[in-house]
Amino acid sequence: MKKGIIFILLILTALSFSQILNYVPENFKVIRYVKDLSEFYSEVKSLSTGRFLTESLGLEMMIQGVLESQLISRDIEPSDFYDLLSHEFLFVQLDSEDTCFVLGPSEKTKKLKDSIKSLVVDLLGMEDVVVAEKDGYLFLGTAKAVNASLKGGGKIPDTLKTADFFGYGLLQGEKYSFTVVSTKESAGDHLSIKVEIIPMDDTSRNFLEKVGQPRKVPSDYYMFGELTVIFNTENYDGLLDVLSSAGFSMESGNLPVQLPESDIEKVVKNLFEELEPPMFLSANVSSAVMDLIAGSTPTSIEVVAKAMLKSPDAVENALKTAGVQYRKEGRCFVLENGLSICTEGDTVVLKSDQFSPRNLDITPAKNDVFFLFLDMRTVMESLVGEGEEAYIFARGFYKDGKMVFYVNVK
């Protein structure tokens, strides 16, 4: 009798594991899984930020319009396509070039396979995309990643196999090795994603410990805006690498604020080697977002940035190297576009003509080495005339031998 109960429990446990996880390939770099895409999308839409993007800005209707016209032109019923998107989702990354998306299961997959390939080619220009079907699941990606996923054989921790949402990665570099685990946490009126970066050896643990060590910051050091990004660590380059491992891209082209002229970018690039944390960038971006939505280039932006300066001559040297015109007023270098770069003791401040600081209810904790806050309410008010409490907030810190990042969206 006891053996029978154990057998039944084993069968029930096996059935609770998702079949799509059988398609996790060997030697994967990163995987991301969502048990119910339809439910997750509904959760995102229930958030203030989600409602604003999908309904107030009309992105959902716009995307549906473009997509459904393409589907109908291929004799595909939109409801069949949406059924494919209403179940499980698996993203597989083998390396920087080879990825695969797995969707399903749906009884419509075989019927949709060829049409979806032509749809992806026409809309995204991905001529080499491979589309396959197995057991009602659709596989879409590079040939290498699709074939590896079809073969399966990859292993993930048992603790993740019954999760509704997770990410899992094995990142091995020349010097450091990490396991990256992301999960969705219950958070009431906002969506919360937790990312843990766990060292796999003592060298990696010592590296994370230094990255996760914040510096002391004077109480009046930071100024906050509609958007604020803060780095405060003993190892800035290491923090950028860790952020990349956690899924945050800090490349300048991916940041929501761009400096207005390429010459200024050159100055910042030349100056950056002479800067160190604590450093921050704050900007009031709502007017710039309005310009972008209207299809025009933002003409001005309220911005302030501050960092510690290694050498007092670094600013003027960077300006001269970049060939930028400026005039010197005391400790400030005033540029032709109205931006100024001022030295204040051992710090340097870049600021626009005007900047109206904001008071935030959410501010960095003492142990935070990374902080990002975007006030979506001000963006709503500037675009549609009214708004509700809404934000995108992220923080990172070192705890219990690992780096922990939280991303919260309301």
Side-chain angles (χ1 to χ4, degrees):
M1 181 68 177
K2 187 175 180 180
K3 290 182 179 179
I5 293 174
I6 293 174
F7 178 74
I8 292 172
L9 289 174
L10 289 173
I11 293 295
L12 291 175
T13 302
L15 290 174
S16 69
F17 292 166
S18 167
Q19 184 179 344
I20 201 173
L21 297 178
N22 292 329
Y23 302 120
V24 173
E26 295 180 340
N27 301 320
F28 67 87
K29 181 179 180 181
V30 175
I31 59 171
R32 293 188 175 90
Y33 168 73
V34 181
K35 183 177 182 179
D36 190 325
L37 266 182
S38 178
E39 183 177 301
F40 181 66
Y41 181 64
S42 296
E43 183 178 359
V44 172
K45 279 191 66 176
S46 72
L47 306 172
S48 301
T49 295
R51 285 194 299 273
F52 169 67
L53 294 174
T54 58
E55 297 174 4
S56 299
L57 285 188
L59 293 182
E60 181 181 66
M61 186 176 296
M62 180 181 69
I63 293 171
Q64 280 183 340
V66 173
L67 184 59
E68 289 183 8
S69 67
Q70 291 288 332
L71 293 171
I72 292 171
S73 70
R74 291 170 170 79
D75 295 323
I76 299 175
E77 284 292 331
S79 59
D80 291 345
F81 181 78
Y82 293 141
D83 180 68
L84 182 63
L85 299 180
S86 297
H87 304 286
E88 293 181 286
F89 167 84
L90 177 69
F91 168 77
V92 173
Q93 180 182 356
L94 299 183
D95 49 49
S96 60
E97 296 181 353
D98 293 292
T99 58
C100 175
F101 297 88
V102 187
L103 296 161
S106 171
E107 60 183 20
K108 308 293 184 181
T109 303
K110 286 185 179 180
K111 174 183 174 183
L112 295 174
K113 185 184 71 172
D114 293 337
S115 298
I116 287 178
K117 178 172 182 176
S118 70
L119 181 69
V120 171
V121 170
D122 288 351
L123 289 182
L124 303 179
M126 298 170 62
E127 297 288 343
D128 297 329
V129 69
V130 172
V131 180
E133 183 274 339
K134 185 178 180 180
D135 297 329
Y137 289 96
L138 182 87
F139 299 74
L140 185 151
T142 62
K144 180 179 177 181
V146 168
N147 290 333
S149 297
L150 286 167
K151 185 183 296 184
K155 304 297 183 183
I156 63 172
D158 288 343
T159 53
L160 296 177
K161 290 180 179 179
T162 55
D164 293 340
F165 178 107
F166 71 82
Y168 183 67
L170 302 171
L171 306 182
Q172 294 186 332
E174 294 181 3
K175 297 181 180 179
Y176 311 114
S177 300
F178 308 106
T179 299
V180 182
V181 179
S182 58
T183 52
K184 180 166 68 73
E185 297 192 344
S186 178
D189 63 351
H190 62 275
L191 175 66
S192 181
I193 306 295
K194 180 182 181 181
V195 182
E196 295 179 292
I197 300 181
I198 306 162
M200 299 176 68
D201 52 51
D202 289 340
T203 301
S204 302
R205 183 175 292 103
N206 293 336
F207 167 74
L208 285 187
E209 186 174 3
K210 186 174 182 181
V211 168
Q213 182 65 43
R215 295 182 171 183
K216 291 184 178 180
V217 182
S219 58
D220 60 349
Y221 190 85
Y222 297 129
M223 296 176 65
F224 301 99
E226 295 169 357
L227 168 72
T228 298
V229 184
I230 295 173
F231 303 94
N232 181 26
T233 172
E234 290 291 341
N235 187 345
Y236 174 72
D237 290 335
L239 177 59
L240 292 187
D241 290 340
V242 171
L243 284 167
S244 177
S245 299
F248 298 90
S249 178
M250 291 291 117
E251 296 291 334
S252 62
N254 296 314
L255 291 175
V257 172
Q258 298 296 307
L259 293 173
E261 295 180 13
S262 59
D263 286 344
I264 308 306
E265 275 192 53
K266 293 178 184 177
V267 175
V268 174
K269 187 175 181 179
N270 293 336
L271 184 58
F272 221 78
E273 293 298 321
E274 298 296 327
L275 303 180
E276 58 184 10
M279 58 178 70
F280 76 88
L281 181 146
S282 293
N284 294 327
V285 298
S286 52
S287 61
V289 171
M290 287 185 65
D291 290 336
L292 290 172
I293 294 293
S296 59
T297 302
T299 55
S300 63
I301 189 170
E302 292 187 18
V303 63
V304 60
K306 188 175 186 177
M308 302 298 292
L309 191 60
K310 296 178 184 178
S311 167
D313 300 324
V315 175
E316 191 159 16
N317 291 339
L319 289 167
K320 289 178 179 179
T321 302
V324 174
Q325 296 296 315
Y326 64 91
R327 70 177 186 275
K328 194 169 182 180
E329 296 182 356
R331 295 175 299 174
C332 293
F333 301 86
V334 182
L335 312 183
E336 291 182 332
N337 63 359
L339 286 174
S340 60
I341 304 175
C342 303
T343 57
E344 300 175 358
D346 55 357
T347 65
V348 59
V349 179
L350 180 147
K351 56 186 177 182
S352 54
D353 280 338
Q354 295 181 337
F355 180 80
S356 302
R358 306 299 173 100
N359 293 319
L360 301 184
D361 294 330
I362 300 174
T363 55
K366 287 184 178 180
N367 62 334
D368 285 350
V369 295
F370 173 71
F371 175 89
L372 181 148
F373 187 87
L374 175 60
D375 184 0
M376 289 298 298
R377 181 172 190 161
T378 58
V379 176
M380 294 179 189
E381 290 172 345
S382 66
L383 293 179
V384 298
E386 59 182 1
E388 56 185 319
E389 185 182 21
Y391 54 76
I392 299 171
F393 160 55
R395 61 184 294 244
F397 52 90
Y398 180 80
K399 184 178 180 180
D400 298 332
K402 57 191 174 186
M403 288 294 301
V404 181
F405 293 90
Y406 279 97
V407 181
N408 298 299
V409 182
K410 183 173 181 178

